[in-house]
Amino acid sequence: MLFRPSEEHEAIRRRIRELAEKEFRPKAAHYDETGEFPAANMKLLAEAGFVGINLPDEYGGAGLDMLSHTICVEEIARCCATTAVIFEVHNTLHSETIAHFGTEEQKRRYLPALASGEKLGAFCLTEPGAGSDAGALKSTAVLDGDHYVLSGQKCFITNGGVADLYLVMALTDKEKGSRGITCFIVEKGTEGLSFGKPEDKMGIRASHTTDVFLENVRVPVSNRLGAEGDGFKIAMSALDAGRLGIGAQALGIAQAAYEASVAYAKERVQFGKPIAELQAIQWMIADMATDIEAARLLLYRAAELYSQPGRHSAQIAMAKLKCAETAMTHTIKAVQIHGGYGYMREYGIERLMRDAKITEIYEGTSEIMRLIIALAALR
Ligand code: CAA
């Protein structure tokens, strides 16, 4: 039993780390301050072949496993967490879901442009009244000849407005509750599809998060993903992949906080010696190192399981939970170690803390992760 990535995985890490260090880290503060969508970063990721890394090669992807994708998200987040979530949602929640559930015709129509980065994807499940209780969504899809007519409102949609393609969950049978939900591929530009303004967020400020409005949007039957009523299961399955991505984003943020804290503790002198020699600081660093190691082991194991047959939702939930809580706990500690400097925007440490918080919330809160784990344990 090996507890470390293969040499191929480490080669991918070296490549993406080089790109992220050179191109993303220097601009992370700028994107955080301005909220400008980091299109240039996504273009670089596409040119280097990282977008679509997890998609099958016959549709233009690199055909690599979920662990490779996980390492990419981790390394991007280590330098720019906002770019990591844009990349992650595109690759897993959106593109991977079409690869899993699409017809041959849908895969040929959409995946090559998603794999090349020519088109960006988004995933529309959440609604104002359906967050953790995703099955309570109210958007509808009514069959009318060879089209469905979609109506409703989605919210907190990552890549909203900037994405070209949207996976939209809507009810085709209101009587059946979550078993009446169906998934559709909706193209930007379709009449009746519009977007709210980007939300003003605490962290990951340059990833655009918007409402998505559906006003009698006509979607061809050929754009239904899966059968009528399969939408909730498709969404849950998509979230299994997505939660690995958010776990990786959290891990990358935690790693960045750890590295900055170690470096600062060695250089900052107080009481006549580097603060690294103070036990109070040493214990914080020790806890960071231990939690990050544990989070990484859980995450990589879950990513490997994802590529195996069967459902691995509980292991994935454990990984996301541990990574997110590690990121939150230790970015707070990183600010503490940096003292007053940690609180100042100029040093970029407080940004890690702001970016970390959302990983405990989106793609399933930590409470929902505990629910999934408990249900599996008590089954
Ligand atoms: N894969 C496949 N099928 C699954 C599944 C999975 N991972 N999880 C559940 N299902 C199936 C179940 O087997 C069940 O099937 P049957 O109808 O055949 O019995 C069906 O789905 C319903 O399952 P549950 O009874 O467990 O559903 P529930 O209503 O109790 O909900 C939940 C369970 C875990 C709470 C779920 O609602 C959930 O995950 N909530 C959180 C939602 C979430 O993560 N939202 C984030 C949205 S994305 C986002 O954050 C924005 C963004 O852009 C990044």
Side-chain angles (χ1 to χ4, degrees), residues 35 55 64 83 96 118 229 343 345:
L55 297 181
L64 297 181
T83 301
E96 172 112 355
E118 183 193 329
Y343 200 70
R345 292 236 156 148

Side-chain angles (χ1 to χ4, degrees), residues 75-328:
E75 291 299 327
I76 298 168
R78 182 176 159 274
C79 294
C80 178
T82 209
T83 301
V85 72
I86 296 163
F87 174 87
E88 185 286 310
V89 167
H90 169 81
N91 277 339
T92 60
L93 289 183
H94 186 90
S95 308
E96 172 112 355
T97 307
I98 295 180
H100 270 185
F101 297 100
T103 61
E104 189 54 32
E105 196 271 324
Q106 288 168 339
K107 290 193 263 191
R108 297 222 170 273
R109 184 146 42 108
Y110 292 114
L111 291 183
L114 290 164
S116 69
E118 183 193 329
K119 289 199 189 301
L120 186 69
F123 177 83
C124 305
L125 175 66
T126 303
E127 297 185 0
S132 288
D133 186 6
L137 64 83
K138 295 274 184 282
S139 293
T140 54
V142 178
L143 189 60
D144 178 24
D146 55 1
H147 282 71
Y148 286 90
V149 181
L150 271 60
S151 304
Q153 179 185 350
K154 300 290 176 177
C155 64
F156 302 147
I157 304 306
T158 303
N159 298 339
V162 278
D164 305 282
L165 296 168
Y166 295 79
L167 289 187
V168 176
M169 284 3 107
L171 284 166
T172 41
D173 187 341
K174 289 186 200 170
E175 306 302 314
K176 290 190 179 159
S178 67
R179 290 185 182 85
I181 295 171
T182 303
C183 180
F184 299 91
I185 307 169
V186 183
E187 298 187 12
K188 187 179 181 179
T190 310
E191 203 180 328
L193 179 70
S194 63
F195 310 98
K197 64 174 179 38
E199 302 287 355
D200 189 6
K201 304 193 297 280
M202 172 196 274
I204 55 158
R205 289 180 52 76
S207 78
H208 283 200
T209 306
T210 70
D211 283 341
V212 173
F213 302 104
L214 302 142
E215 287 174 87
N216 297 321
V217 178
R218 292 183 70 80
V219 178
V221 170
S222 59
N223 275 29
R224 190 186 68 216
L225 195 68
E228 277 196 11
D230 281 355
F232 190 74
K233 289 184 196 174
I234 291 175
M236 290 300 115
S237 166
L239 282 163
D240 279 345
R243 286 165 184 164
L244 289 169
I246 300 305
Q249 182 197 26
L251 182 62
I253 295 169
Q255 180 69 28
Y258 169 70
E259 289 173 18
S261 299
V262 167
Y264 184 76
K266 287 184 188 167
E267 91 190 19
R268 173 72 171 163
V269 173
Q270 289 290 277
F271 306 105
K273 57 188 176 188
I275 61 170
E277 292 181 27
L278 303 173
Q279 196 176 51
I281 302 296
Q282 290 173 351
W283 285 17
M284 282 194 257
I285 298 281
D287 288 347
M288 276 186 183
T290 307
D291 279 341
I292 289 170
E293 186 74 8
R296 184 171 284 117
L297 286 170
L298 268 178
L299 182 69
Y300 289 2
R301 174 173 162 272
E304 291 232 291
L305 280 173
Y306 177 88
S307 303
Q308 312 291 326
R311 251 174 71 180
H312 306 287
S313 308
Q315 286 82 3
I316 290 169
M318 286 179 201
K320 182 192 183 266
L321 174 67
K322 180 68 185 167
C323 290
E325 294 198 342
T326 296
M328 196 64 244

